[in-house]
Amino acid sequence: MGPATPAHPHSFVDMTRAEYPWLLPSDLAEPVEPAEPGGPEGRDVRRRRTVRDWIVDTTAFVFAAFVGLLAAEASSQYDNSEAAVLADQLLGAAACCALWLRRRWPVGPAVALSVLSTVAPTAGGALLVALFGVAVRVPFRRLAHVGGLALVCGVVQVFVRPDPTLHPLAAVAIGVVLVLLVTGWGMLVRSRRQLVVALRERAGRAEAEAELRAQQAQRAAREAIAREMHDILAHRLTLLSVHAGALEFRPDAPPPEVARAAGVIRDSAHEALQDLREIIGVLRAPGDREDGDRPQPTLATLDALIAESRQAGMEVTLDNGIDDPAGVPAATGRTVYRIAQEGLTNARKHAPGTEVTVTVRGHPGDGLTVDVRNPAPTGPVPHVPGSGQGLIGLTERATLAGGRLTHGPAPGGGFALHAWLPWPS
């Protein structure tokens, strides 16, 4: 059983295209701004226009200017004075320029253009663009007020600046239809943006919930493994404790009985160690610290490791060519310590009674080498269970440190472990 892998849902684009095929690709290509703009007038939260915004605003400006030119041309043919035509043209140009403010202040320009359109037909195109911006950016309650003002001003314009070619009722109907079409289109765009924002938030929540469920499943699996490890190791360690206690309280027991108890202790310890090795790889998670908050060994503590091995009955020769062990970086020294520790452990298990040689050489800028060698054992070697996880872990540790590690049978017999680690100058 391994750690659970977080399951991520399908991407936002794939999910929304499958559920809402009528959405445009541009709606899903990049994040959409919040549908409820902030500010006292529903101002747009963006401070700078994107390339897409510049294209849209320029197109709207050109459309408003084109409608204004048509209205100015018509005004010049209806027996209006040159001053009135010039005033229409200037007011129309001002109305078109006001559209560049609609993103920051959508309501203000729309209200001003509604009032201006009552006396200047050339502002009609700019008014339609401004109404569209209001429908996209503000809630329906405020849109209703602005739209109602535009309808009223449109009716007033029919009588203040009548069109000789249209009946008043027909002119009012056309104005109402145009206002309703523009506001309806803007409301549709607003609703679609709100939907996309809601879908993005839902997709984000779904991903977060999926990751949380994966973490909970992983934690439950780890707890189950820990309980299983306790059940397995408790029996073996209890058996080991019982036989060790019997040897302590019966030092005068017959040699066969002592040998049998020692064999049971050895077998129980080896089996417990094997079970622990099988399960320890599952319990470790990425980012978990192996040694917790305990003091970390360095190259300066290598002598203590050799002394401890000698006290356990091993014959160990240390050839340390580093004059100042404290000058070696802490991470490099810790890796050297772990390599020597694993080499001594393997020699104690698989080649008992042999002399182990630990050699450390290196200089700043050239790197640091570690060699652990032992000859082949001369007598019978008891079978000791092992999975090779120690050497695998050492290889990974050396690689992460920027070095390399090799191990295997030595040319003259025995076993050799060699590692090179970087030592910056």
Side-chain angles (χ1 to χ4, degrees):
M1 180 186 301
T5 302
H8 297 282
H10 295 294
S11 67
F12 168 75
V13 174
D14 296 337
M15 182 183 67
T16 51
R17 281 181 178 172
E19 190 172 358
Y20 301 93
W22 49 270
L23 287 176
L24 299 177
S26 59
D27 296 328
L28 309 177
E30 56 184 13
V32 180
E33 296 173 2
E36 294 292 341
E41 284 198 2
R43 291 180 304 206
D44 199 311
V45 297
R46 287 181 296 188
R47 300 297 180 89
R48 300 181 60 182
R49 286 182 173 89
T50 64
V51 175
R52 179 178 179 273
D53 295 337
W54 281 106
I55 295 175
V56 172
D57 292 349
T58 303
T59 303
F61 178 86
V62 171
F63 169 78
F66 178 75
V67 174
L69 289 176
L70 294 180
E73 181 67 19
S75 175
S76 63
Q77 297 177 0
Y78 297 157
D79 297 329
N80 291 321
S81 63
E82 294 182 359
V85 173
L86 179 60
D88 283 343
Q89 294 175 351
L90 293 177
L91 292 176
C96 293
C97 293
L99 293 179
W100 294 102
L101 305 176
R102 67 187 182 88
R103 289 187 179 273
R104 189 170 181 84
W105 295 286
V107 176
V111 173
L113 293 177
S114 297
V115 176
L116 181 62
S117 65
T118 58
V119 295
T122 53
L127 173 61
L128 295 179
V129 174
L131 285 177
F132 177 83
V134 173
V136 170
R137 290 174 175 79
V138 303
F140 177 78
R141 183 185 299 272
R142 301 178 65 188
L143 172 63
H145 295 161
V146 177
L149 176 63
L151 290 176
V152 171
C153 292
V155 173
V156 173
Q157 182 199 21
V158 171
F159 298 97
V160 174
R161 297 293 300 273
D163 186 349
T165 61
L166 287 178
H167 190 274
L169 293 180
V172 170
I174 293 175
V176 171
V177 170
L178 289 177
V179 171
L180 293 179
L181 285 177
V182 169
T183 54
W185 184 18
M187 292 174 62
L188 176 62
V189 173
R190 174 183 172 82
S191 299
R192 184 169 60 186
R193 290 185 178 182
Q194 290 177 332
L195 174 62
V196 173
V197 170
L199 290 176
R200 288 187 179 277
E201 293 176 352
R202 188 176 72 177
R205 287 195 301 267
E207 291 179 358
E209 291 172 358
E211 185 175 357
L212 179 61
R213 287 194 299 269
Q215 292 177 355
Q216 293 174 347
Q218 187 181 57
R219 187 179 300 111
R222 290 171 182 270
E223 293 174 354
I225 294 172
R227 288 192 297 267
E228 182 69 16
M229 183 175 65
H230 173 270
D231 295 339
I232 293 175
L233 295 183
H235 169 73
R236 302 192 189 282
L237 296 180
T238 302
L239 184 62
L240 187 150
S241 178
V242 169
H243 284 275
L247 289 178
E248 180 181 4
F249 288 102
R250 296 257 342 249
D252 56 344
E257 185 176 346
V258 173
R260 184 179 63 84
V264 172
I265 292 174
R266 183 192 64 189
D267 294 340
S268 298
H270 289 170
E271 291 172 356
L273 183 60
Q274 181 66 19
D275 294 335
L276 183 62
R277 282 174 172 169
E278 292 176 355
I279 205 168
I280 195 67
V282 180
L283 292 179
R284 283 183 183 169
D288 287 350
R289 293 185 59 184
E290 178 182 358
D291 298 317
D293 296 327
R294 295 179 297 173
Q296 298 297 303
T298 61
L299 187 58
T301 59
L302 184 60
D303 292 334
L305 175 65
I306 300 301
E308 180 182 359
S309 299
R310 289 170 179 169
Q311 291 177 0
M314 292 186 65
E315 296 182 12
V316 184
T317 301
L318 175 61
D319 183 9
N320 191 349
I322 307 301
D323 298 330
D324 183 17
V328 178
T332 303
R334 183 163 55 251
T335 304
V336 172
Y337 182 96
R338 295 304 185 192
I339 291 174
Q341 185 182 47
E342 182 64 19
L344 293 173
T345 300
N346 289 338
R348 184 165 52 246
K349 291 192 303 182
H350 303 291
T354 60
E355 181 180 3
V356 183
T357 302
V358 179
T359 305
V360 181
R361 292 284 187 274
H363 298 281
D366 297 335
L368 193 148
T369 60
V370 185
D371 290 276
V372 182
R373 297 176 179 272
N374 62 268
T378 56
V381 179
H383 174 70
V384 179
S387 59
Q389 293 296 323
L391 293 176
I392 295 176
L394 283 183
T395 303
E396 295 176 351
R397 182 189 290 267
T399 303
L400 290 176
R404 55 185 179 271
L405 184 142
T406 59
H407 55 82
F415 192 85
L417 188 152
H418 173 78
W420 176 88
L421 302 171
W423 184 359
S425 56

